[in-house]
């Protein structure tokens, strides 16, 4: 028996359909709250080097990233990973993903296991509670409205890429819950790829009908697959601005092509959203 959607979930889906028709594809459909959030100021330490934090980070990455994460992914979303072969030989990269679930960062972490992953997040996700400590230990890099902080953010991303890490960005800009279509990309992620001359690894979450057992035990209709697409490389011979836009457009085109082949339909923003489960 299917779980009924909550009133909040129905409201989110309604707003997503409305925003899609209005062309507000990068806007937040859920209200942003700043309760329990620390603002990211000029002295914010993006990648602390003190021993206590490094120990905490190692524990979080081991327990949450390698053990609990895949279990949560499987139970909550039935997550599977495809295309890991496309990571072969890529030591450092910018990773992109469609932002469709609170757990999708754990899905990306599962997809790129074996690589140290850091995650660019909105400033409103820099919580000053225990959840925030777990997220920071797992490698979140909060954005900021402070110019000096963003310079430090850029330096941290550059240093991490030099150290052969992966850095995840959500170029769509906002979470749209269980939304199937790729949304237009903003340029931020691709600025950092061009800055450090590293490839972009597009990942894209798709949905398929759940098996009989999951539909009857977990009461879910659809499960998720995170697909790792072939890397997109920085173009040569273009100035910085044109290179960023070219990389953004090529990455989005790869995801759009995958979407249309997977669902066997063109990408159209018409406000018609497929049925989902809770």
């Amino acid at each position: 028996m299917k779980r009924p959607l909550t009133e909040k979930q129905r409201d989110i889906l309604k707003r997503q359909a409305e925003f899609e028709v209005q062309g507000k594809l990068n806007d937040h459909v859920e209200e942003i709250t700043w309760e329990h959030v620390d603002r990211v100021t000029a002295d914010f330490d993006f990648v602390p080097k003190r021993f206590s934090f490094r120990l905490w980070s190692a524990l979080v990455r081991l327990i949450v990233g390698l053990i609990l994460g895949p279990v949560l992914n499987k139970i909550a979303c039935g997550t599977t990973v495809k295309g890991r072969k496309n990571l072969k030989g890529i030591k450092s990269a910018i990773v992109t993903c469609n932002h469709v679930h609170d757990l999708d960062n754990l899905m990306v972490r599962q997809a790129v296991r074996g690589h140290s992953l850091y995650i660019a997040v909105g400033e409103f996700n820099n919580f000053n509670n225990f959840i925030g400590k777990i997220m920071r230990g797992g490698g979140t890099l909060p954005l900021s409205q402070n110019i000096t902080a963003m310079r430090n953010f850029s330096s941290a991303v550059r240093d991490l890429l030099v150290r052969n890490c992966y850095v995840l960005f959500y170029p769509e800009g906002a979470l749209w819950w269980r939304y199937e279509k790729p949304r237009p990309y903003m340029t931020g992620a691709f600025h950092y790829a061009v800055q450090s001359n590293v490839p972009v690894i597009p990942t894209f979450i798709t949905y398929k009908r759940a098996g009989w057992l999951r539909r009857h035990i977990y009461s879910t209709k659809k499960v998720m697959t995170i697909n790792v697409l072939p890397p997109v490389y920085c173009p040569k011979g273009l100035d910085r601005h044109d290179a960023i836009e070219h990389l953004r457009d090529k990455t989005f085109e790869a995801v759009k092509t995958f979407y249309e082949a997977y669902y066997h339909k063109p990408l159209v923003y018409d406000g018609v959203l497929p049925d989902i489960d809770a």
Side-chain angles (χ1 to χ4, degrees):
M1 186 172 75
K2 180 184 174 182
R3 283 197 308 268
L5 295 173
T6 66
E7 182 177 354
K8 179 181 178 181
Q9 289 167 341
R10 288 194 297 269
D11 287 344
I12 289 171
L13 295 176
K14 180 181 178 182
R15 284 197 296 275
Q16 287 176 182
E18 292 172 350
F19 280 24
E20 182 180 280
V21 171
Q22 295 167 10
K24 299 191 296 186
L25 294 162
N26 301 121
D27 287 14
H28 292 279
V29 296
E30 299 184 56
E31 183 179 358
I32 300 301
T33 175
W34 293 92
E35 187 179 8
H36 307 304
V37 169
D38 278 338
R39 290 285 188 167
V40 180
T41 56
D43 59 352
F44 186 83
D45 193 356
F46 286 93
V47 187
K49 294 181 173 58
R50 61 183 184 274
F51 176 76
S52 59
F53 180 84
R54 296 169 84 171
L55 178 60
W56 170 248
S57 179
L59 288 172
V60 170
R61 288 175 179 273
L62 173 63
I63 297 172
V64 178
L66 293 180
I67 301 173
L68 291 182
V71 174
L72 286 172
N73 289 341
K74 181 59 71 172
I75 292 174
C77 305
T79 306
T80 55
V81 178
K82 291 186 177 180
R84 273 184 51 81
K85 64 181 182 296
N86 290 315
L87 303 175
K88 186 176 180 180
I90 302 177
K91 294 181 178 180
S92 60
I94 296 296
V95 183
T96 62
C97 185
N98 48 329
H99 200 6
V100 295
H101 199 280
D102 289 332
L103 296 180
D104 54 28
N105 67 91
L106 292 178
M107 298 180 197
V108 175
R109 193 178 296 279
Q110 182 177 344
V112 302
R113 70 180 185 275
H115 299 272
S116 183
L117 181 71
Y118 288 80
I119 307 158
V121 299
E123 185 178 20
F124 51 83
N125 286 311
N126 190 45
F127 302 120
N128 57 15
N129 52 24
F130 185 65
I131 295 298
K133 290 182 179 180
I134 293 176
M135 292 173 63
R136 291 285 291 129
T140 55
L141 304 170
L143 300 166
S144 176
Q145 297 176 5
N146 182 287
I147 294 175
T148 301
M150 283 307 298
R151 290 197 188 103
N152 295 335
F153 174 94
S154 296
S155 296
V157 170
R158 183 169 54 248
D159 291 345
L160 290 169
L161 293 171
V162 168
R163 289 163 44 192
N164 293 335
C165 298
Y166 285 5
V167 182
L168 168 64
F169 284 83
Y170 294 106
E172 297 170 338
L175 190 159
W176 281 28
W177 182 63
R178 288 185 173 264
Y179 184 78
E180 288 189 356
K181 305 173 187 179
R183 292 176 281 137
Y185 287 174
M186 296 183 288
T187 58
F190 311 99
H191 161 82
Y192 295 108
V194 170
Q195 172 183 270
S196 294
N197 192 30
V198 298
V200 174
I201 300 173
T203 66
F204 186 65
I205 295 170
T206 54
Y207 303 82
K208 64 179 180 181
R209 181 174 171 79
W212 183 91
L213 192 62
R214 173 171 284 273
R215 292 200 310 272
H216 286 76
I217 293 179
Y218 293 101
S219 302
T220 55
K221 290 175 58 182
K222 293 182 178 179
V223 293
M224 296 180 175
T225 299
I226 180 163
N227 304 274
V228 182
L229 278 56
V232 182
Y233 289 89
C234 291
K236 297 181 179 180
L238 297 178
D239 64 32
R240 187 183 67 85
H241 178 269
D242 289 344
I244 290 169
E245 291 197 341
H246 180 86
L247 190 59
R248 176 199 62 192
D249 294 345
K250 286 294 184 182
T251 303
F252 182 79
E253 185 62 32
V255 171
K256 176 177 177 287
T257 299
F258 187 90
Y259 164 87
E260 293 179 336
Y262 182 86
Y263 291 109
H264 306 290
K265 59 184 179 183
L267 175 60
V268 179
Y269 302 120
D270 54 6
V272 178
L273 304 184
D275 182 32
I276 68 168
D277 69 280

